[in-house]
Amino acid sequence: MTIVPLPRRPLDPSDASADFPGDVSCFTVRQWYENDLGWATVPGAPVHLITGLRFDVLDVPAQAGIAALRHLGPIPGPGSPVALHGGRMRLLVAAGSAEELPGLLEWLDWGGLDLDLTAVGTGGHIEAPPPPGGADGRGTGSRGAAEWLRPPEPGREVEPSLPTMSALGGGGGAPDLVRVVDTVATHCHRVRLRCASTGPPAFS
């Protein structure tokens, strides 16, 4: 499926207020996402990214996500964006993956378990982290705010780097969504078992 970049639109001057920590304005953040990356955003502040167009999102506990990334090594990626928001990790995956997730979990024998693993796809949105380094060079935000662990790179198409279903013919060396979901589900399950026996860990 060919992705047609969104047309650049005039930005609302009301977005120029500093709604991000470090004086990174909504105007600057929205401009970076819409004009530099071609990603659609939701009107208003704070800036939210629309899912289901260029990417979907796997939303997992940060502790499980970090362990999964260590286990996966270079997958997802290189270049596959990953964000943190509070105690959650958001892994960008190919558009359409959210619809595949329930069936994929069943096929992998994870169905019926409460893994605290969800997907955000068509009709959804996530809070946009400030651009890496802060769009004005004064930092990425405060504790608990959304931030990029592995930021997207302007000037490069993000789709070839995203985990996708191999059967769908994802190109550009995209990692296998099946392996990513199975690994993330495994670590989500381990985190829940650990929490059940020792209590919830303090995330920092």
Side-chain angles (χ1 to χ4, degrees):
M1 179 178 67
T2 302
I3 301 294
V4 179
L6 294 171
R8 298 189 177 198
R9 69 173 178 84
L11 297 174
D12 187 345
S14 66
D15 282 342
S17 60
D19 290 290
F20 282 88
D23 294 332
V24 181
S25 71
C26 279
F27 180 91
T28 303
V29 171
R30 194 181 306 280
Q31 184 179 48
W32 188 74
Y33 282 110
E34 292 196 353
N35 292 347
D36 291 4
L37 296 178
W39 291 4
T41 65
V42 179
V47 179
H48 280 71
L49 303 173
I50 297 175
T51 56
L53 300 177
R54 301 285 297 274
F55 57 85
D56 287 353
V57 172
L58 293 182
D59 187 300
V60 304
Q63 186 184 27
I66 290 170
L69 289 182
R70 283 198 299 262
H71 184 84
L72 288 165
I75 299 173
S80 179
V82 178
L84 292 172
H85 190 186
R88 308 292 297 181
M89 176 178 284
R90 285 149 178 186
L91 298 92
L92 272 61
V93 293
S97 298
E99 297 177 3
E100 301 284 345
L101 183 62
L104 187 53
L105 289 172
E106 287 286 346
W107 185 72
L108 292 167
D109 293 329
W110 289 111
L113 294 177
D114 184 5
L115 298 172
D116 198 14
L117 163 62
T118 60
V120 187
T122 302
H125 56 84
I126 61 170
E127 185 171 329
D136 60 358
R138 285 180 282 180
T140 57
S142 63
R143 181 182 177 88
E147 60 180 324
W148 285 114
L149 179 64
R150 183 185 296 163
E153 298 181 23
R156 296 180 57 185
E157 289 296 321
V158 70
E159 286 82 4
S161 74
L162 298 180
T164 185
M165 294 287 287
S166 299
L168 299 180
D176 188 353
L177 181 66
V178 175
R179 181 183 173 194
V180 171
V181 169
D182 192 34
T183 304
V184 169
T186 298
H187 287 283
C188 284
H189 186 54
R190 290 176 179 173
V191 167
R192 291 190 67 81
L193 290 176
R194 192 177 305 122
C195 288
S197 61
T198 64
F203 178 78
S204 59

